[in-house]
Amino acid sequence: MAGRLAGKVAVITGTGRGMARQVALRFVREGASVVGCDIDAEAAQETLEIVRAAGGRMESLHPLDLFDEKEAHRLLEFAAEQFGGVDIVDNNAMQLRLGPVEDMSLADWQLTIDNTLTVPFLVSKHAIPHLRARGGGSIIFMGSAVAAPIGAGYAGNLPLLPAYAVAKAGVLRLTVALANELAPWKIRVNAISPGCVATPNGLSFYGQEGSEPRRVVESALLIPEMTAPEDIADAMVFLASPEASFVTGHNLAVDGGYVASGAAGPQRPEDVAAYAPIMAELAVVDHWPTTGVRPA
Ligand SMILES: NC(=O)c1ccc[n+]([C@@H]2O[C@H](COP(=O)([O-])OP(=O)(O)OC[C@H]3O[C@@H](n4cnc5c(N)ncnc54)[C@H](O)[C@@H]3O)[C@@H](O)[C@H]2O)c1
């Protein structure tokens, strides 16, 4: 298949379900060969069959626990053996435990940090020699709106997600650190930060259509609907492709304006109306003083 990723080899982690399955389908449609993996063997096998049935070139290692460093290393070696090298890494896999800090066990905290922050570190670490050998490449991390900078609004304070938010903030910091470290080898490193995506996992958290949690989260967006996994796949193709050859160290929000609005959602007409008299008054002030003389 010809396309924007023609001839490229992509490693995608956690292909058993959700966004990674969509990304695998998109990548093969764009001409890439894909290597997937998942700790959940049955789900990963299902994705493999779906992608191959769509005519895509894909291999998969499953079950594979990426928190085991030897396994992370094996995945990258396998990809290079199967398809001759590695050009693209989508660090998608994660696991999390929910709960307020006060009630969270050390084991739950650790599981979240291990699988959401340490796994992408291990995968990237073992990808670097392969990407360097190809003369460049693209590593893409999955951030999240929950990792929004302090002061950027409600998104970073979603209830029950402290361990996950900390892990994702770490992922974004790792993105920038690696973008700097790997620039000499033409390896670009970027992140995508979704808000609320309609994957099975996302829906279990944000609720089905019509539910109260769903109303709450959608009212926090400028585009008030759940993101489709396909929207994430579109962004992923862009960052993986030569179209993004000058983009590195960037965190691309694909979140319907979640963070941009401070999770406050669209401007309320009554709030805008409250400012109308002030705006009318300010409009007579010359803000572009070319002569230095205020109009009479
Ligand atoms: N769904 C959302 O609303 C949302 C929002 C923001 C960010 N994200 C991020 O986007 C990415 C994908 O989200 P999703 O909803 O598709 O997730 P998901 O839970 O559906 O898929 C994650 C996959 O990773 C696999 N996995 C977990 N730990 C693993 C390990 N140690 N080794 C191998 N495989 C492992 C899981 O089995 C699962 O199939 C994640 O990084 C997530 O944090 C999701």
Side-chain angles (χ1 to χ4, degrees):
M1 285 188 214
R4 291 151 76 196
L5 304 179
K8 301 292 182 193
V9 179
V11 171
I12 307 175
T13 66
T15 39
R17 57 183 190 168
M19 289 176 220
R21 181 176 283 182
Q22 285 308 319
V23 172
L25 276 165
R26 257 319 283 287
F27 273 14
V28 296
R29 218 178 298 142
E30 295 292 346
S33 303
V34 167
V35 174
C37 69
D38 208 291
I39 200 165
D40 179 341
E42 205 178 313
Q45 182 63 30
E46 196 177 285
T47 299
L48 184 63
E49 284 164 18
I50 291 170
V51 172
R52 285 180 174 170
R57 288 219 313 162
M58 180 173 179
E59 299 292 340
S60 178
L61 280 184
H62 50 260
L64 185 102
D65 181 357
L66 291 166
F67 185 59
D68 178 342
E69 184 166 4
K70 288 191 297 302
E71 291 291 82
H73 179 254
R74 186 163 75 94
L75 173 69
L76 275 301
E77 295 298 309
F78 173 77
E81 276 162 29
Q82 291 296 312
F83 295 123
V86 177
D87 304 287
I88 299 160
V89 178
D90 169 6
N91 275 301
N92 168 88
M94 67 92 203
Q95 275 181 67
L96 78 164
R97 291 276 190 270
L98 308 174
V101 170
E102 192 177 2
D103 300 334
M104 185 172 273
S105 69
L106 178 59
D108 285 348
W109 171 271
Q110 205 66 61
L111 180 138
T112 307
I113 302 294
D114 290 350
N115 288 282
T116 301
L117 176 57
T118 307
V119 159
F121 153 71
L122 290 174
V123 171
S124 303
K125 172 182 167 179
H126 291 288
I128 291 168
H130 295 286
L131 296 167
R132 199 189 278 135
R134 297 282 258 201
S138 173
I139 299 177
I140 303 156
F141 290 99
M142 291 308 295
S144 170
V146 303
I150 294 162
Y154 171 75
N157 305 322
L158 267 175
L160 307 179
L161 290 173
Y164 179 69
V166 167
K168 287 298 188 185
V171 166
L172 294 187
R173 201 66 197 87
L174 181 60
T175 303
V176 174
L178 266 187
N180 282 273
E181 184 179 320
L182 301 181
W185 292 283
K186 294 190 169 56
I187 301 170
R188 298 181 298 103
V189 187
N190 294 288
I192 293 173
S193 281
C196 356
V197 188
T199 61
N201 173 52
L203 290 173
S204 68
F205 186 75
Y206 294 113
Q208 297 297 329
E209 208 154 356
S211 69
E212 188 55 10
R214 184 70 161 269
R215 186 197 62 73
V216 170
V217 80
E218 288 186 347
S219 67
L221 309 174
L222 296 179
I223 302 168
E225 55 199 59
M226 297 279 287
T227 311
E230 290 81 357
D231 291 323
I232 304 299
D234 285 341
M236 192 66 72
V237 169
F238 168 67
L239 288 176
S241 77
E243 291 160 25
S245 62
F246 216 60
V247 182
T248 194
H250 186 63
N251 175 28
L252 179 58
V254 185
D255 66 355
Y258 195 13
V259 172
S261 75
Q267 290 176 327
R268 295 185 306 169
E270 58 272 32
D271 292 349
V272 176
Y275 274 87
I278 297 169
M279 294 310 291
E281 179 137 335
L282 290 178
V284 302
V285 177
D286 182 0
H287 288 287
W288 301 98
T290 48
T291 62
V293 180
R294 233 187 113 165

